[in-house]
Amino acid sequence: MGNSAVSARELAAATPATRDRYVDLLRVASLGVVVLGHWLMAAVDGTGQVGNLLAVVPELQIATWALQVMPVFFFVGGFSHALAHRSRPAYPAFLRARLQRLLRPTMVFVAVWGAAALLIQLLGADGGLTGVALRLVTQPLWFIGIYLAMVAFTPPLLKLHERWGWGAFGALVGGAVAVDVLRFAFDVPFVEFLNFAFVWLAIHQLGFLRADGMIRLPSVLAGAGLLAAAGLVALGPYPLSMVGMPGEKVSNMAPPTLALLAHGLWLVGAVELLKGPGARFVARAGVWHKVVVANGIAMTAFLWHLTAMLGVYGALLALDVTLPAPASGAWWAQVPLRIAAAAVLTALLVAAFRRFERPPAPPVAGAAPSAPSARPAPAPAAGGGPVAALGITLALFGILGLSMVGFGGLLEGHAATLIAVRITAPVAVVLALAGWLLVERVGRGRKSGTGTPSF
């Protein structure tokens, strides 16, 4: 890994003029908003109980209509995946290229927390905030699981896009509508879980449309999405919050609903409306350099940001610092200090673990814009496609399972249900590790040709 390392300044200077820098800005900004939102929502009281600020102050749930920006990240992913697959059409090579900087830091995170969880439980110290942390730190892994599914489905869905354009997107939207009708009007059991695919893949499909310049009326997309989301929340069974809330009967997030899809449409339309000024902003040399630096550590920071926030609260409790009641005046007054402390701790964790998020090599001048890392494209052996598909499936189920079960109760065999299958943390880790190793093995192949930059 070390031989390929280059500085962010070199990467920024080597960026080809054809690169869509606004996409990179959106990627960084969307993850940054998610991290900040998680830090703000964490409401820990003096007993170490972790609550949700949006549950304490329900009026703040309307803010999720601006701060729930995961749809933007998945939209950007669709754009990048379309370009990446067109430059690496072989399925194993495409998977490996897209997943290297995603799964390496993820598996390190899982290994560190898994070892820590086992030690904590053996010492009998898994109570209070520590026990809560063991359950909470893996929850953001759902995002990585969904992203793995998007990578896996890119080749067939890109073919549908190239043939049907907006029709392929419409089919996914139609699937999401059908699922919610069956769910809410006819009480069909378990059908709602299909919307993990239909809703998020529809947002992802919008990225394909952007890659081919087919989003020509973003104002219509934004307006239609906002009106649809408002109507569904006002008239239907959908809650106001666009993030999951503790104890709610219906969540817009888990599983996703038609209201969340409409919310994603308005966000995509909104960021497309800002493309002109956003592109001019990120074209500045200083801004672009910062975006390159942030993209180089984004996944590591995302993985460890909850660890940092819970570490700040744990330190305050250990030092007998009085924690005010969540949402009180004193609580709000401490917010800037807590966020600053979490940012510092996150930076320290990034410094410790960023080397596992493979540093990119300089872009190839004139290459199609998708990422700042150019390597010889692998030519996998014939028949590697099914093995690669198996690998990403195992990784997907392992990481999603771990996001649900957490690291609490390792020695007791604590389990959670993933699509009607009971899964424990050790089983989830084995699945994820096996899947990653399969993708790495079949995607490596023999080196030939030249690659396309990929983020």
Side-chain angles (χ1 to χ4, degrees), residues 76-110:
V76 167
F79 174 87
S80 298
H81 295 159
L83 297 179
H85 185 259
R86 285 166 175 168
S87 69
R88 296 177 186 261
Y91 192 61
F94 166 74
L95 288 187
R96 182 172 183 264
R98 301 312 294 171
L99 299 185
Q100 274 184 325
R101 290 187 58 204
L102 184 69
L103 286 182
R104 286 178 184 229
T106 300
M107 295 312 299
V108 170
F109 171 84
V110 167

Side-chain angles (χ1 to χ4, degrees), residues 26-269:
L26 290 178
R27 181 185 292 112
V28 169
S30 58
L31 278 184
V33 170
V34 169
V35 168
L36 182 61
H38 286 169
W39 286 348
L40 282 171
M41 285 193 300
V44 180
D45 61 24
T47 67
Q49 295 298 311
V50 180
N52 189 317
L53 179 64
L54 299 179
V56 178
V57 188
E59 294 81 5
L60 292 178
Q61 292 178 21
I62 189 63
T64 63
W65 287 49
L67 298 178
Q68 167 51 297
V69 292
M70 271 303 183
V72 175
F73 190 91
F74 291 146
F75 164 65
V76 167
F79 174 87
S80 298
H81 295 159
L83 297 179
H85 185 259
R86 285 166 175 168
S87 69
R88 296 177 186 261
Y91 192 61
F94 166 74
L95 288 187
R96 182 172 183 264
R98 301 312 294 171
L99 299 185
Q100 274 184 325
R101 290 187 58 204
L102 184 69
L103 286 182
R104 286 178 184 229
T106 300
M107 295 312 299
V108 170
F109 171 84
V110 167
V112 171
W113 261 107
L118 183 60
L119 179 61
I120 287 169
Q121 192 166 6
L122 287 172
L123 295 175
D126 55 343
L129 185 61
T130 302
V132 173
L134 294 177
R135 298 193 302 271
L136 288 184
V137 291
T138 63
Q139 286 187 2
L141 294 180
W142 74 266
F143 147 76
I144 294 175
I146 296 298
Y147 202 77
L148 288 175
M150 291 178 174
V151 174
F153 283 107
T154 287
L157 289 179
L158 187 58
K159 288 182 180 179
L160 292 176
H161 157 75
E162 290 168 346
R163 180 171 183 178
W164 301 107
W166 280 97
F169 166 77
L172 291 169
V173 173
V177 172
V179 165
D180 272 16
V181 169
L182 292 172
R183 175 186 181 184
F184 295 116
F186 299 100
D187 293 321
V188 176
F190 304 117
V191 70
E192 63 267 26
F193 294 103
L194 291 174
N195 265 351
F196 276 112
F198 287 129
V199 169
W200 290 125
L201 289 176
I203 300 295
H204 188 249
Q205 202 81 5
L206 287 172
F208 297 167
L209 292 162
R210 187 191 193 279
D212 289 338
M214 297 175 69
I215 301 180
R216 299 188 180 95
L217 296 172
S219 58
V220 173
L221 192 65
L226 188 58
L227 287 174
L232 289 168
V233 169
L235 303 175
Y238 305 99
L240 175 65
S241 175
M242 290 298 164
V243 300
M245 297 296 299
E248 63 186 353
K249 186 177 180 181
V250 175
S251 167
N252 280 323
M253 275 289 295
T257 65
L258 192 58
L260 183 66
L261 175 55
H263 169 71
L265 298 186
W266 105 258
L267 281 180
V268 168

